[in-house]
Amino acid sequence: MKRMIRRSVVGALAGGAASAALIATAGHAGLSLLLGAAIGAAFALSTGPTPGAFLDNMMTAGALGVPLWGVVSVIIAPLLSGQMPEWSAAQMREHFPVLVGWVLFGVTLGVLVQLLNDVAARLFGPEPAPEHATPEPKKRILILGGGFAGMTTAECLEKELRKDPSVSITLVSETNALLFTPMLAEVAGSSLEPSHISTPLRTTLHRTEFLRGRVISVDLENKRVTLEAGAGGNESCRSELAYDHLVFALGAVSNYLGLTNVQKLAFDFKSLIDAIRIRNHVIEMFERADRESNPEARKPLLTFVIAGGGFAGVELAGSLNDFARGILADYPNLRREDVRVVLVHARDRILPELSESLGRYAQSRMEARGVEFRLNTRLTDARPGVVVLGDGEVNAETLVWTAGTAPNPLTKSLALEKDKRGAVIVDATLAVPGHAGVWALGDCAAVVDAKSGKPCPPTAQFALREAKVLAKNIRASLQGNPARGFHFDSLGALCVVGHQTACAELAVPFARSKSMRFSGLLAWLMWRGIYLGKLPGLERKIRVLVDWTVELFFPKDIVQTIDLR
Ligand SMILES: Cc1cc2nc3c(=O)[nH]c(=O)nc-3n(C[C@H](O)[C@H](O)[C@H](O)COP(=O)(O)OP(=O)(O)OC[C@H]3O[C@@H](n4cnc5c(N)ncnc54)[C@H](O)[C@@H]3O)c2cc1C
């Protein structure tokens, strides 16, 4: 609490002083001062003091000025004065001095926050340490996986156990950041910078010890986990961790349904590196096609096949279609009709998770933008340059697989009960039956809703809620109290289909069996607003907002970040 008060005061003072730049360009002295102080307090609260971070602070807060200008001066201020926001060139010219004011405000704020933090450290000593730092943990909680389920479990455990210094929390994950998968298609489609949708686990978690490494085996009998920290199966990089409570949050992997050639030739679409590879590969195909004079040889280079008409496949198809058509201007030898984005789906309509009318709407909007659909069609095989379908072949150098997932195979070898997909069966409290202190959640677990008795879908929305209940149940178990069952009603689903168009089906509050449907630009704005709100960390939100703002004014970036030759 003392840390928060100290940071708020520092931030409000810095923001108040920096608001001079706003008063000079936007006027409204009292309002600018108040707004500046509030933004300053929020900024200082979210960043915290880091010695010598003048440049970092200055750049982060300076960048913050751009979205703040867009939201406050261009959108909210006209609305409050009864006018509609305008984006015309004349209006933008008029707004430009205020933009300079906002950026100056940000830069000054960054410098002042750092300066005042340093002064406060000299006068009052360093910030009080978090109240939970303690020696001698007695119980060890080990979380495997740093995705939505694992990271949220750790975050909630930190809160649940803040007054209990006798427990240690450790999280092990292959990657050192939480990947915000709902925005992955935008990375593949070159709208967002890859690292902007990944939140570092080390900075998000405070009390939890984070270890980057791959779990290679779990000894349930002796309560030990073996971890590999390096690459290439090097035994010297292995270490063992003991636990009292073990949480499986290892997520899912692509399931190629036994199609080995497809597995060899297709791109996965699950991780950040998958999205980066896809983006770079698309650019590579354009570069090769640009040099190719034979129109027949050019066709497969510019044909992009996506297998799977669920959320991931549809969002990727929409995003790649926008990307491919958007960069055509940089390749004068290529024509619009040369580009094909083909979505293959085994059922008669896409997005089975949404109501039929929204699924059909999504398809019609995507078709209007040039996406081809092969519905009721199975992908049966692949050869280099050829995708084999149940009813023919498509010549394509690019195939992305989103048509199936399976729970993480690591649990296969363990003597735990699993469902037919291979997910670890848990009881209503997320505990693994017959193994005291072992828990599972998220995409690697078969969770059944305690109230409805229905299986919970493998989505981030459910993984986050399961994590909250699990943290409470682990605390209850440590304290010898009864655990509670997991119940959650879905809030609905949103899907972007490309070019500022989305579909949304949201549950009606207090009447979750009913839903409200939205489509088009409004749904797209809702998608952006909701997911920006859910993206963890203020800094990441700002970075994504800046990417989106830049995207409005500039063409898609075609710089290759990986050499694929
Ligand atoms: C493209 C895409 C878009 C999506 N969009 C949405 C959406 O809009 N809304 C929604 O609700 N859901 C969405 N989902 C689903 C959502 O991402 C998953 O349901 C969610 O990530 C599940 O969380 P999890 O923690 O169980 O698994 P994950 O988030 O996959 O996390 C698993 C973690 O375990 C780590 N791991 C795996 N194996 C090992 C190992 N051997 N050793 C150490 N660490 C390991 C991984 O590195 C990862 O950090 C989307 C999924 C994809 C692929």
Side-chain angles (χ1 to χ4, degrees):
M1 198 58 181
K2 275 187 203 151
R3 299 162 79 209
M4 287 172 72
I5 294 172
R6 177 159 153 179
R7 284 187 192 181
S8 308
V9 172
V10 163
L13 285 175
S19 68
L22 290 182
I23 297 170
T25 53
H28 307 290
L31 212 62
S32 295
L33 189 71
L34 270 180
L35 194 62
I39 294 170
F43 177 75
L45 268 173
S46 67
T47 51
T50 313
F54 269 102
L55 195 63
D56 271 12
N57 258 5
M58 203 174 86
M59 292 189 51
T60 312
L64 179 71
V66 181
L68 281 172
W69 164 75
V71 175
V72 179
S73 299
V74 181
I75 300 176
I76 297 179
L79 285 177
L80 288 180
S81 58
Q83 291 161 2
M84 285 308 285
E86 277 190 48
W87 293 92
S88 64
Q91 283 289 334
M92 285 301 113
R93 263 196 300 277
E94 212 172 285
H95 282 308
F96 187 72
V98 189
L99 169 63
V100 175
W102 273 108
V103 174
L104 279 179
F105 162 77
V107 169
T108 321
L109 172 67
V111 174
L112 287 180
V113 164
Q114 185 64 32
L115 208 66
L116 291 179
N117 269 328
D118 288 353
V119 171
R122 283 208 188 146
L123 291 180
F124 311 111
E127 257 194 7
E131 282 144 29
H132 42 57
T134 64
E136 287 289 314
K138 290 177 201 125
K139 292 277 179 195
R140 293 151 300 184
I141 303 173
L142 179 56
I143 302 166
L144 308 183
F148 286 101
M151 190 188 92
T152 315
T153 304
E155 268 187 314
C156 295
L157 277 170
E158 288 186 356
K159 282 188 201 133
E160 292 292 331
L161 301 171
R162 64 183 176 281
K163 291 194 186 131
D164 185 350
S166 68
V167 181
S168 75
I169 310 166
T170 304
L171 187 145
V172 176
S173 191
E174 254 177 334
T175 52
N176 75 350
L178 164 83
L179 174 65
F180 195 72
T181 49
M183 290 181 181
L184 200 58
E186 298 209 34
V187 172
S190 206
S191 295
L192 294 176
E193 278 298 309
S195 63
H196 295 179
I197 65 161
S198 303
T199 308
L201 293 163
R202 285 182 187 279
T203 48
T204 311
L205 302 172
H206 306 291
R207 169 177 169 184
T208 306
E209 183 191 14
F210 170 71
L211 299 174
R212 205 196 68 180
R214 198 163 64 89
V215 177
I216 52 169
S217 65
V218 180
D219 180 349
L220 292 167
E221 215 161 288
N222 296 306
K223 300 198 168 191
R224 299 188 87 79
V225 167
T226 309
L227 193 68
E228 197 173 70
N234 188 343
E235 291 219 4
S236 63
C237 297
R238 289 188 185 167
S239 55
E240 277 201 349
L241 296 172
Y243 66 83
D244 297 294
H245 284 265
L246 181 67
V247 176
F248 284 101
L250 291 165
V253 295
S254 292
N255 178 5
Y256 283 89
L257 313 166
L259 302 170
T260 42
N261 291 332
V262 176
Q263 183 162 6
K264 256 187 249 161
L265 294 169
F267 286 94
D268 270 341
F269 184 52
K270 287 211 69 74
S271 68
L272 196 59
I273 195 74
D274 295 336
I276 297 171
R277 278 200 192 112
I278 293 169
R279 176 186 171 277
N280 280 278
H281 174 81
V282 170
I283 298 168
E284 180 68 18
M285 292 299 102
F286 270 76
E287 295 295 344
R288 279 173 55 190
D290 192 56
R291 292 197 308 268
E292 180 59 70
S293 50
N294 176 355
E296 281 312 302
R298 194 187 269 175
K299 277 183 188 165
L301 293 171
L302 294 180
T303 302
F304 306 97
V305 179
I306 290 125
F311 279 104
V314 169
E315 293 200 337
L316 180 65
S319 185
L320 282 190
N321 191 52
D322 284 354
F323 181 39
R325 294 183 195 283
I327 62 175
L328 268 172
D330 295 315
Y331 297 89
N333 295 329
L334 307 180
R335 294 166 310 152
R336 204 174 164 72
E337 353 15 308
D338 293 334
V339 175
R340 285 178 75 196
V341 175
V342 184
L343 193 142
V344 181
H345 187 51
R347 299 209 208 165
D348 67 343
R349 73 170 180 93
I350 57 167
L351 297 173
E353 303 89 343
L354 293 180
S355 57
E356 183 160 359
S357 60
L358 278 182
R360 301 271 177 227
Y361 168 84
Q363 185 179 338
S364 70
R365 297 307 303 148
M366 291 174 79
E367 275 170 343
R369 298 267 308 152
V371 179
E372 288 174 42
F373 286 86
R374 302 290 291 267
L375 300 182
N376 289 316
T377 306
R378 283 193 179 276
L379 198 154
T380 56
D381 203 356
R383 304 190 299 276
V386 180
V387 176
V388 183
L389 306 179
D391 59 358
E393 294 185 347
V394 179
N395 292 332
E397 290 285 345
T398 311
L399 169 61
V400 186
W401 181 263
T402 70
T405 58
N408 193 301
L410 185 93
T411 53
K412 248 188 204 164
S413 57
L414 303 178
L416 301 171
E417 219 187 318
K418 273 148 267 165
D419 70 359
K420 60 178 190 297
R421 290 181 64 241
V424 177
I425 292 179
V426 290
D427 65 19
T429 67
L430 305 170
V432 177
H435 296 271
V438 180
W439 313 80
L441 77 166
D443 284 10
C444 73
V447 181
V448 173
D449 189 282
K451 200 164 154 193
S452 67
K454 287 187 185 155
C456 298
T459 63
Q461 193 182 135
F462 274 79
L464 293 171
R465 273 66 185 197
E466 289 163 16
K468 285 183 185 159
V469 172
L470 177 55
K472 285 195 189 313
N473 286 350
I474 292 179
R475 188 184 76 167
S477 162
L478 289 168
Q479 296 172 346
N481 295 328
R484 68 179 234 215
F486 171 74
H487 163 69
F488 174 64
D489 289 318
S490 171
L491 300 174
L494 296 114
C495 180
V496 175
V497 300
H499 196 63
Q500 300 174 351
T501 306
C503 310
E505 190 154 353
L506 303 181
V508 177
F510 310 113
R512 290 281 171 90
S513 53
K514 295 191 181 125
S515 64
M516 297 176 288
R517 292 174 202 167
F518 303 89
S519 58
L521 182 67
L522 175 65
W524 180 77
L525 289 170
M526 286 167 68
W527 187 97
R528 288 213 154 171
I530 291 172
Y531 280 112
L532 190 68
K534 290 188 181 297
L535 181 69
L538 176 67
E539 184 202 334
R540 302 285 137 177
K541 289 190 212 302
I542 293 167
R543 286 177 193 269
V544 165
L545 206 54
V546 170
D547 283 353
W548 283 343
T549 312
V550 168
E551 198 197 17
L552 285 175
F553 300 103
F554 296 98
K556 300 255 187 192
D557 190 357
I558 54 163
V559 173
Q560 274 179 305
T561 49
I562 305 178
D563 189 349
L564 289 162
R565 278 164 297 176

